[in-house]
C-alpha cells in the first residue's frame, strides 16, 4: 500500500522511509516480499520568508500561533530581516501594512504604526526610547525576530506612552546543543561599512550555552556633514537547570554617533516636483539676519538644489550610550501552572549640542522593571494569566529648543546662515549649563515681580516615577470553533519632578502626582473552517504623555499637568486569517477604528481618529517566495486642535518676487495653532502597497526584489504642498559559493526616484521641512560560517 505524506513533512518522511527500508530483511530469491514506500510532495516554508508558522511569545501569552491571535500581527523572521535588508525601524514598512513613517530627523528611534508613533518593546518589556520619535537609533545586533502589532499594547504589557501600535523585539538566544561562528562583512555606497561576528556555543550539552554578537558600523553619508558610527556588544546566556525550567539572560552595550538630519527647508511645491529652492536669507523684525521667529525672506532666486544639501552642520555633536539587561526565567510548576519572571534594566546617556541652538542632554536615564506572570490551565478550555508589574524610571535631562528657526535659513548660502548664536537677552532667559551651552530651567519663575515668568522653558527635567501594575487575562475555548479572551489592568503611578537648575536666589520648584490608569480588552475568535479564522477585538487604554527619556516636566504653572495622564485610546478591529494546513499560503486582513492622542511639542495632547483597512499575503515554497501588503488609512483630527511650526511655507516670503513665489509676508516661524476640526492629518498617505519576492535560479543562486508605493498626501496642515504618488524599487541577488560562504548584492532605489517624506511625526514641521530620500545605492555583503 503506498504511503503519502503531507508536503510540508516530506523531508522527515524521506528520512523515516529510508530508515524503514534499510531495516527490511532482503532475500535474493524473494524480492516480492518487499513493501514499496512512495514519498510525494515538496518541502514548503523552508526559506523562512513567511510568518505563517512563527510562534508569537509575550504580548498575548506564550507559544501562540499567528492564526490564533485576535489582532493584526506581522512577525518578521530573521530570514526576512536579512532578505529585505531591515536595518532601521522605518524599514518594517517593507513588509508590515500601515507602518509608513517619517524620517525621524534621519535616525528613527520608534516605529510608526497606523499613523502614529508606536512603542518599542524587547523581550516583552518596554524599552527606553525616543522623545516623540527623536531619540536614539537602535542596534539590530541583538535581534533575531521582530513582531509588529497594530493598536495599543495588551494588558499583559501594561500602560505605555504611545498607542498606534508596537514592535516586540526578540533577543538572540544562546544555543545549548550546538556551536557556530558567523562573520558578516558589508560595504556600500558613500563609504558604508559594517562588520558583525556572531559566536555561539553550548557549555554543558543540553544544559547551558553562551552567545556573543559584536557589531561595528562606520558609515559615511550621501547627505552633507552626516555620518553614523556605532559599536554594539551583546552577550546571551541560557541555563536549563532541569526539564521544567529555563533561564535566559542577555546584556548589550551600545555606543552610537549619528547626525540630526533635518532635511531641506522651505518645502514649496516647486521643490517637491522639480527640486527648485527659493533663495534669500531671512531678516528678523529687529533687522538681524540670524534666523529667528517671524523673520521674512525677500526671494532672490530659484535654484535647483542638490538633494544632499540638507540642514546639518559639521560642528554639531550628537552621541549616545546605553546599557541594557534582560532576564527571563520560566518554570513549569505543574502540568497546569507555569511561572515566569521578566526583569529589565537600562541606563541611557545622550548629548546633542547643535549650532542652530538646539540642545538635548540626558545626564542619566535609568529604567528598571520586573514582571511576574502566572499562567494556569484550569481545564482543556479555560486558562488564566495573571501578572504583577513594577517599573521605575528616573531622568535627569536638559533641553533647549525655543530659539530654533529653520525657515529663515538660506540653505544654499554659507554655513553661517544655519547657525543661531543666542543674544544676550536670550541667554538671560536660559541658564548656562557649561561654557557656551545654554539650556532652559526646569520651571518658571518671576524674578522681577512683574507678574509674569522670565524664562524660556523646554523639556528640562529631574523626575522619577514608580509604576505598579496588576493584570489578568482569561482565555476560553467554548467550542472547537469559538473562543474568547478578556483582560483588565490597573496601573498606579507615583511621579515626582523638580527643577534641577533653579535660578540663583530661587527655591527650586517641585511637584508630585499620583494617578491610576486602567485598560481593558476583549476578543472573540470563530474558526469558520480549519483554514479560516475570523475575529473581533476591542480595547480601551489610558496612557501617559512624557518628555525625553520618559521623564516628566513641570508646566508653566510649575505643576505636573494632569493632562499627562489623560490620554485615552480605543480600538475596534475585525479581521480574518487564512492559514491552510499543508499549503505555502498565509493571508490576513483587518478593518479598524482607532482613537488615540498625540503629544504635541508644547506638551499638550491632540486627539486623532483613524479608520482603515489592511491586508497582507505570503507565499513561501521552492523555488520562489512572495509577499504583498496593502493599507488604507483615513487619519483625522478628532474634533481636536492642532499646531504647526508655521501656518504655511509662503509665510516665510514677502511678495516682492511673485514670479518666484507669492508670499504672504507674515514671517516664519510663526508657531501656528489651528481650531478643533476633523481635518485630515498631514504627512500620511491614504494608501500604501508593498510587494516583495524572490526566486531560486539554481540551488546556489537566488534573486529578489522589494517595492513600495505610497499615494499622494498633504505635507502640511492646510494642504498647500503635497508629496505626489511615489514608489521605490530595490533588487538583490545572492550566491552561495559553499554551505558556509555566500555573497549578496543589494541595489536600493534601482530606478533612482527622487522621493520625499516628512521629517517628523505628527506633521508639526510639515510646512517647514521635508526629507529627501536616498538615490540609487548599493551594498555588498559577505557572510561566512566557520
Amino acid at each position: 500500500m503506498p504511503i503519502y505524506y503531507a508536503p510540508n513533512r516530506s523531508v522527515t518522511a524521506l528520512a523515516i522511509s529510508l530508515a524503514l527500508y534499510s531495516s527490511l530483511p532482503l532475500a535474493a530469491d524473494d524480492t516480492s516480499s518487499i513493501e514499496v514506500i512512495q514519498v510525494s510532495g515538496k518541502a514548503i516554508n523552508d526559506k523562512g520568508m513567511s510568518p505563517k508558522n512563527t510562534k508569537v511569545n509575550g504580548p498575548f501569552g506564550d507559544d501562540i500561533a499567528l492564526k490564533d491571535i485576535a489582532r493584526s500581527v506581522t512577525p518578521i523572521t530573521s530570514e526576512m530581516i536579512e532578505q529585505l535588508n531591515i536595518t532601521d525601524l522605518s524599514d518594517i514598512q517593507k513588509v508590515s501594512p500601515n507602518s509608513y513613517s517619517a524620517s525621524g530627523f534621519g535616525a528613527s528611534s520608534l516605529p510608526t504604526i497606523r499613523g502614529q508613533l508606536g512603542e518599542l518593546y524587547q523581550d516583552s518589556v518596554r524599552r527606553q526610547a525616543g522623545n516623540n520619535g527623536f531619540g536614539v537609533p537602535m542596534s539590530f545586533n541583538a535581534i533575531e525576530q521582530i513582531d509588529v502589532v497594530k493598536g495599543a499594547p495588551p494588558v499583559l504589557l501594561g500602560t505605555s506612552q504611545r498607542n498606534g501600535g508596537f514592535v516586540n523585539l526578540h533577543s538572540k538566544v544562546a544555543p545549548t546543543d550546538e556551536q557556530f561562528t558567523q562573520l558578516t562583512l558589508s560595504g556600500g555606497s558613500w563609504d558604508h561599512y559594517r562588520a558583525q561576528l556572531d559566536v555561539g556555543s553550548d557549555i554543558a550539552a543540553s544544559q547551558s550555552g553562551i552567545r556573543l554578537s559584536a557589531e561595528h558600523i562606520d558609515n559615511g553619508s550621501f547627505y552633507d556633514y552626516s555620518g553614523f558610527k556605532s559599536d554594539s556588544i551583546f552577550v546571551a546566556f541560557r541555563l536549563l537547570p532541569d526539564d521544567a525550567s529555563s533561564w535566559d539572560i542577555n546584556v548589550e552595550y551600545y555606543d552610537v554617533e549619528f547626525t540630526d538630519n533635518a532635511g531641506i527647508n522651505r518645502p514649496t511645491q516647486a521643490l517637491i516636483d522639480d527640486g527648485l529652492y527659493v533663495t534669500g536669507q531671512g531678516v528678523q523684525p529687529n533687522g538681524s539676519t540670524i534666523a529667528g521667529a517671524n523673520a521674512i525672506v525677500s526671494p532672490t532666486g530659484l535654484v535647483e538644489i542638490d538633494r544632499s544639501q540638507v540642514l546639518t552642520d559639521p560642528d554639531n555633536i550628537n552621541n549616545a550610550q546605553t546599557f541594557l539587561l534582560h532576564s527571563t526565567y520560566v518554570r513549569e510548576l505543574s502540568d497546569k501552572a507555569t511561572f515566569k519572571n521578566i526583569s529589565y534594566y537600562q541606563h541611557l546617556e545622550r548629548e546633542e549640542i547643535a549650532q542652530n541652538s538646539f540642545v538635548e542632554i540626558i545626564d542619566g536615564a535609568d529604567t528598571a522593571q520586573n514582571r511576574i506572570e502566572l499562567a494556569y490551565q484550569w481545564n482543556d478550555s479555560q486558562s488564566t494569566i495573571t501578572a504583577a508589574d513594577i517599573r521605575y524610571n528616573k531622568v535627569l535631562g536638559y533641553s533647549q529648543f525655543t530659539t530654533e528657526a529653520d525657515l529663515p535659513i538660506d540653505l544654499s548660502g554659507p554655513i553661517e546662515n544655519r547657525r543661531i548664536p543666542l543674544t544676550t537677552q536670550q541667554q538671560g532667559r536660559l541658564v548656562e549649563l557649561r561654557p557656551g551651552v545654554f539650556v532652559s530651567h526646569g520651571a518658571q519663575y518671576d524674578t522681577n515681580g512683574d507678574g509674569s515668568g522670565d524664562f524660556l522653558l523646554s523639556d528640562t527635567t529631574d523626575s522619577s516615577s514608580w509604576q505598579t501594575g496588576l493584570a489578568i487575562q482569561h482565555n476560553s475555548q467554548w467550542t472547537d470553533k469559538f473562543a474568547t479572551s478578556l483582560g483588565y489592568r490597573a496601573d498606579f503611578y507615583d511621579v515626582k519632578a523638580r527643577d534641577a537648575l533653579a535660578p540663583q536666589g530661587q527655591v527650586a520648584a517641585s511637584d508630585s502626582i499620583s494617578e491610576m490608569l486602567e485598560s481593558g480588552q476583549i476578543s472573540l475568535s470563530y474558526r469558520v473552517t480549519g483554514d479560516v479564522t475570523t475575529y473581533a477585538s476591542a480595547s480601551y487604554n489610558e496612557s501617559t504623555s512624557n518628555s525625553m527619556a520618559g521623564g516628566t516636566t513641570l508646566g508653566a504653572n510649575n505643576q505636573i499637568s494632569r493632562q499627562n495622564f489623560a490620554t485615552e485610546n480605543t480600538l475596534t478591529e475585525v479581521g480574518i486569517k487564512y492559514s491552510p494546513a499543508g499549503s505555502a499560503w498565509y493571508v490576513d486582513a483587518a478593518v479598524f477604528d482607532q482613537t488615540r492622542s498625540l503629544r504635541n511639542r508644547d506638551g499638550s495632547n491632540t486627539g486623532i481618529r483613524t479608520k482603515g483597512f489592511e491586508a497582507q499575503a505570503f507565499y513561501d515554497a521552492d523555488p520562489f517566495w512572495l509577499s504583498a501588503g496593502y493599507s488604507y488609512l483615513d487619519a483625522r483630527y478628532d474634533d481636536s486642535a492642532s499646531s504647526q511650526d508655521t501656518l504655511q511655507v509662503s509665510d516665510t516670503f514677502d511678495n516682492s518676487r511673485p514670479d518666484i513665489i507669492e508670499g504672504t509676508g507674515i514671517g516664519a516661524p510663526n508657531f501656528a495653532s489651528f481650531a478643533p476640526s476633523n481635518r485630515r492629518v498631514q504627512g500620511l498617505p491614504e494608501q500604501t502597497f508593498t510587494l516583495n519576492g524572490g526566486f531560486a535560479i539554481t540551488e546556489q543562486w537566488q534573486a529578489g526584489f522589494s517595492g513600495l508605493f505610497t499615494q499622494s498626501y498633504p505635507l502640511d496642515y492646510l494642504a498647500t504642498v503635497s508629496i505626489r504618488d511615489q514608489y521605490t524599487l530595490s533588487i538583490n541577488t545572492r550566491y552561495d559559493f559553499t554551505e558556509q560562504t555566500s555573497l549578496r548584492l543589494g541595489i536600493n532605489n534601482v530606478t533612482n526616484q527622487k522621493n520625499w517624506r516628512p521629517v517628523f511625526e505628527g506633521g508639526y514641521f510639515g510646512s517647514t521641512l521635508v526629507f529627501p530620500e536616498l538615490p540609487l545605492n548599493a551594498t555588498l555583503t559577505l557572510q561566512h560560517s566557520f
Side-chain angles (χ1 to χ4, degrees), residues 100-103 223 263-277 305-310 710 713 715 722-728 753-759 769-774:
Y100 181 78
S101 67
S103 73
Y223 305 106
I264 298 177
N265 64 341
R266 304 179 182 178
T268 63
Q269 198 63 56
L271 177 67
I272 301 299
D273 294 345
D274 303 310
L276 298 177
Y277 183 82
I305 192 169
D306 193 312
R307 291 169 62 87
S308 65
Q309 198 167 340
V310 291
T710 57
Y713 59 91
L715 186 60
S722 294
I723 292 180
R724 309 298 191 188
D725 292 357
Q726 56 187 27
Y727 72 91
T728 304
Q753 299 298 298
K754 295 181 179 180
N755 293 334
W756 305 88
R757 71 172 61 200
V759 166
L769 303 167
V770 68
F771 193 82
E773 296 190 23
L774 290 173

Side-chain angles (χ1 to χ4, degrees), residues 293-316:
N294 300 306
I296 298 176
V297 176
S298 295
T300 58
L302 195 64
V303 301
E304 185 172 352
I305 192 169
D306 193 312
R307 291 169 62 87
S308 65
Q309 198 167 340
V310 291
L311 275 173
T312 53
D313 193 296
D315 291 340
N316 285 354

